[in-house]
Amino acid sequence: MLPDAGANSTLSPDDLPLDDVRRAGHVHVSGYTLLNPGSRDAGTTALAVARAAGVSTSVDASSAAPLEAVGRAAFAAMTRDVDLLFVTL
């Protein structure tokens, strides 16, 4: 697989429909969003807004190479409060 973040690299918190996030039944954020420095703020903002509104959250860990580049401790800090973390061995 050869992923290309494309326009997602420029996703910012200003792009998020935060009222929709607050009213959602569940918010899932792709790990790629958190692992990409360009979109990380948007992903962490979506998770924080959802948590503050009492909305359940989940994140998938994505693939090993970007996860390794960010580091275990940093990813753990970003996902510490999510309700469900999807990982593949």
Side-chain angles (χ1 to χ4, degrees):
M1 178 170 88
L2 298 172
D4 182 355
N8 288 331
S9 293
T10 62
L11 184 67
S12 77
D14 292 336
D15 297 321
L16 300 176
L18 295 180
D19 287 336
D20 292 337
V21 170
R22 290 180 188 97
R23 290 190 304 263
H26 180 84
V27 171
H28 177 80
V29 174
S30 168
Y32 288 115
T33 302
L34 297 176
L35 297 171
N36 183 319
S39 57
R40 185 172 299 141
D41 286 345
T44 56
T45 297
L47 291 170
V49 168
R51 281 192 302 272
V55 175
S56 64
T57 58
S58 61
V59 171
D60 63 87
S62 300
S63 62
L67 183 55
E68 186 176 354
V70 167
R72 182 184 331 167
F75 188 74
M78 287 182 260
T79 59
R80 179 172 292 123
D81 295 325
V82 300
D83 296 299
L84 185 59
L85 179 62
F86 294 97
V87 296
T88 305
L89 299 176

